[in-house]
Structures are given as C-alpha cells and as structure tokens.
Amino acid sequence: MKALTWQGPENVTVEEVPDPRIEQSTDAIIRVTSTAICGSDLHLYGVLAPYLKSGDVLGHEAMGVVEEVGPETGDLKVGDRVVVPFNVSCGHCWMCTRGLQSQCETTQVTDQGKGAALFGYTSLYGSVPGGQAEYLRVPQAQYGPIRVPEDGPDERYLYLSDILPTAWQAARYADVTEGSTLLVIGLGPVGQMTVRSARKMGAERVLAADLVPERLAMAASHGAETIDLRSVDDLPGMVRELTQGRGVDGAVDAVGMEAHGNPVAEQVIKLVGRAPKPLARKAIETMGIDRLAALYASMDSVRRGGTVSLSGVYGGTADPMPLMDMFDKQLTLRMGQANVRRWSGELLDILRKDESAFDVEAFATHHLPLREAPEGYKMFQEKADGCIKVVLKPEHAGAA
C-alpha cells in the first residue's frame, strides 16, 4: 500500500510499504477513506525528530471502512464505517473506566514512561503505524473505533478522530459554562474548534488571538472577538482591558511548543531537532527547550481563581514555570492528550442531530490526494495559501 512516511527533519515522502495485517485478536484493518494533517504532526518535523526513524508511517486522524476483524473485536464487523481515535485505548482498564483513555493501562508505553499509545507518533508513544495511508491496523478494535452513520460526507465525522474531542476537552478543562468568558490563543485547527465548542457550551464571550489573517477571519465568522497579535504587544493587557480589568474566566493554550515570541527558544528547538539523536533526546529530557509565550500569556490573561487549559503539545521536560504567580493568582491548570472516547458519544450525538454542528463539513481549506501529502505538510507548516486544515484522500477511496 501507499503511505506517508517520515524520512528526516522536514522530509516526508509517500512510499510503498507492506499492507497491515491482523497481529492480535483484538485488531481490525480499515480501508482509509479520509485522513488529515494535524497541527501536532508538524512537531514531528522538528523537535520530536529524535524519536522517529526513517520509514515511520505518520498520521493520527483517519476514518474508513472495516475490511477485516480479529476474533475478539466484539460486535465490530466488516463493512462498518468508523472513525479511529488518535489514542489507542482498551475501554476496560482502571484508567479507561474513569474517562482517562489517553492513559490506558493496556497500551501505556511504559518503557518510555508515557501514557496510551498513539497512532503515527514516535517511539515515545509506541511507534504504532499511522493513518496517512491506504490501510490502517487498529489495535483494541473491540473498543476504539467510533461507528458512524453510513450517510453523510466523511468530513461530518472525520474530526472525531482528534481535533473535535481535543477542542471539546480543552473547553471543558477551561471550565466553560453558560455565560463565561474564554480566551483561545492559537487559531489552528484545535483553536478553531475550541472557539466553536465554547460557543456551543454557552460561553458569553470568546476572545481569540492569532497573527494569521485567515485564521482570525474564520474564528470571527464563528462568533469570536479576535485579537490580531501583529498589532498587539501586550496580549494579557488587552484581555484585561476587554474584561473590565479582571481577565477572562478561562484560557486555552492551543499552540504549544511552537509559540511565537521567543526567537532564542525557536533556534534552540531547531538545533535540537537536527542534533544527533542521543544528544537531542538528552536535551529534550533534561532541558527547558519550549517556546512558552502562549502558556505564560494564558496564565497572565485569566482572572484570579481562573483556569488555564493546555491542549498544545510541549516537548521539554524542564521548562520553567512562574510558580509564584500561579500560586498567588490561585490558578487551576489542566492539560493532557484528549480522552477521545470520553467525549465521542456526546459529540457524535450532536453531529447526528445537527448536520451544521461546528460547521465541520466546510472546515478543511485544502483537499489533496494522499500522493500530494508532502506538499500538504509544507503548505500547512508555512501557513501558505490560507491553509488551516488539510484533508488527504487515498486514491483507492474515491470521493467518499
């Protein structure tokens, strides 16, 4: 089959790789009909390169049709249309039964000290081949795959794989309630869906900050009050000015390690990503290497007693934190990979009842065949041509 593979920093190619096969009794094989490029895929371009090897299949946002099932996959059957959550979870361990599927004890990558295995996301998370491919092996298929209706375009459901539950959790973790105020920093795919999720939850005001015109326009079209970071030197000051000096009830950092605002840290990240792997891993595991501008701005923008929700990915182990200010402001800080199956039921119910929910079908700005995935990565990374979200179509999939 054809699949998008990592070959080195900022170098991905579509290659012919072996077809996946049933390896465990709880495996299923799906024929991928749609798959997408996620903002966190871009981290594999840079700082997380030391944990990849040439030929690794990338991608963790996929859906398709079940082609084959193992003997212990429950009532999943050939022909089912499914979305595949980006984290691999069993549904029956202590963590899963408490809504912490991203910490699944059955698939935890214990040799790396990490949580549940992830599709297409480095040796840190199990080196599970990803979904930017024609076919995908799905472990723990008795629980993970989300069965969706046969009707409707793929993009009505595709984002249940990651960005929609990630955004929904980000808003929940920020304690969004009816009448509350929220700041979203970073208006990539997750930030955009966080704006829409917060509005769906009843937030009275959603402030949204970015520096890309197309992103700002998209957020504004869904009810956000946008802040153009190209013209604002002091984001927290602006937020306080807009909230009678108090700050917002909650803030979501939807950027992570690649935030703008610290050119020195930017160069450190680039150097680490290109260093020999043992040296690079040591730097990641012992140094504070991330650009923390978005996180610090989130903490400074919330009111006293407010909540900061962190959905952006960070890679450094020893990043400095302003603990005195956090303690003084009595902040709550929540973070982590999305527990996809915790939220998938209510989100699927919303999507089934309201075809226009979250405006998902019009969300992708670019659609490309899988063979053009490398160009899609480059365009997405450079934010070229107004690119906000790229959906890839394996050529065997037709126009599902």
Side-chain angles (χ1 to χ4, degrees):
M1 70 171 183
K2 288 182 171 57
L4 191 281
T5 65
W6 186 89
Q7 300 296 337
E10 298 188 11
N11 181 13
V12 294
T13 61
V14 175
E15 304 290 345
E16 196 73 29
V17 303
D19 289 349
R21 58 184 180 82
I22 299 291
E23 298 178 14
Q24 302 291 333
S25 61
T26 55
D27 287 350
I29 305 296
I30 74 160
R31 173 174 53 87
V32 177
T33 56
S34 292
T35 183
I37 302 175
C38 181
S40 56
D41 285 329
L42 297 183
H43 302 322
L44 309 182
Y45 256 32
V47 71
L48 297 181
Y51 298 95
L52 289 155
K53 66 181 185 300
S54 179
D56 280 351
V57 178
L58 304 185
H60 57 268
E61 297 183 352
M63 68 175 293
V65 178
V66 176
E67 293 278 301
E68 187 179 356
V69 295
E72 296 184 64
T73 54
D75 57 359
L76 188 71
K77 63 183 185 299
V78 171
D80 282 345
R81 187 187 192 198
V82 297
V83 174
V84 181
F86 76 92
N87 37 35
V88 184
S89 55
C90 72
H92 57 74
C93 71
W94 192 93
M95 290 289 181
C96 284
T97 57
R98 287 158 177 79
L100 293 168
Q101 291 89 343
S102 66
Q103 309 301 325
C104 175
E105 292 178 325
T106 300
T107 73
Q108 272 181 17
V109 187
T110 54
D111 63 333
Q112 297 287 343
K114 295 295 183 286
L118 308 179
F119 286 100
Y121 216 78
T122 82
S123 58
L124 285 174
Y125 289 98
S127 295
V128 181
Q132 288 166 2
E134 292 182 315
Y135 294 89
L136 175 66
R137 180 179 74 90
V138 181
Q140 301 299 322
Q142 82 288 346
Y143 176 69
I146 303 163
R147 276 177 286 198
V148 298
E150 296 295 325
D151 62 322
D154 276 8
E155 284 164 64
R156 186 176 303 167
Y157 307 109
L158 173 62
Y159 307 123
L160 289 169
S161 59
D162 180 356
I163 60 170
L164 187 50
T166 294
W168 194 259
Q169 177 173 295
R172 289 285 190 214
Y173 277 14
D175 292 331
V176 172
T177 56
E178 194 78 33
S180 63
T181 56
L182 180 73
L183 169 67
V184 179
I185 301 180
L187 295 173
V190 169
Q192 298 289 344
M193 287 297 173
T194 302
V195 168
R196 301 176 197 194
S197 294
R199 298 292 291 176
K200 189 74 173 177
M201 293 175 188
E204 180 179 352
R205 299 178 69 191
V206 179
L207 310 181
D210 203 292
L211 41 68
V212 179
E214 294 84 0
R215 293 180 172 191
L216 291 163
M218 180 180 280
S221 72
H222 287 85
E225 301 173 45
T226 58
I227 301 172
D228 189 339
L229 295 177
R230 296 170 299 172
S231 58
V232 173
D233 293 327
D234 179 9
L235 175 59
M238 172 65 75
V239 171
R240 285 190 289 273
E241 183 179 322
L242 292 169
T243 54
Q244 294 75 51
R246 181 178 296 122
V248 287
D249 298 319
V252 172
D253 171 1
V255 183
M257 68 173 81
E258 297 189 52
H260 292 265
N262 189 331
V264 174
E266 178 180 4
Q267 293 307 311
V268 170
I269 286 177
K270 289 181 177 178
L271 288 171
V272 167
R274 288 164 172 76
K277 289 190 176 184
L279 178 61
R281 289 175 181 173
K282 184 69 173 177
I284 289 171
E285 292 162 9
T286 61
M287 296 171 58
I289 65 167
D290 294 316
R291 286 182 277 176
L292 300 173
L295 179 56
Y296 289 163
S298 299
M299 293 176 179
D300 202 9
S301 297
V302 296
R303 62 169 170 78
R304 292 180 177 275
T307 303
V308 173
S309 173
L310 176 56
S311 64
V313 174
Y314 284 91
T317 300
D319 291 318
M321 297 292 285
L323 289 174
M324 182 173 72
D325 290 339
M326 293 165 66
F327 183 85
D328 177 65
K329 288 186 72 172
Q330 201 170 331
L331 298 186
T332 297
L333 180 61
R334 302 189 71 184
M335 66 188 79
Q337 303 281 8
N339 303 299
V340 175
R341 291 299 260 128
R342 177 176 179 177
W343 314 109
S344 60
E346 63 181 305
L347 288 169
L348 178 57
D349 191 49
I350 292 170
L351 292 170
R352 292 180 69 172
K353 290 178 178 177
D354 180 4
E355 294 181 1
S356 64
F358 307 107
D359 198 21
V360 287
E361 293 180 32
F363 182 57
T365 53
H366 292 76
H367 297 81
L368 299 173
L370 179 63
R371 67 176 184 276
E372 295 179 17
E375 291 83 354
Y377 266 75
K378 187 173 188 297
M379 179 171 55
F380 189 28
Q381 184 192 43
E382 295 175 354
K383 304 177 181 67
D385 192 34
C387 183
I388 295 176
K389 187 66 175 177
V390 180
V391 171
L392 304 171
K393 291 282 188 177
E395 291 183 272
H396 68 61

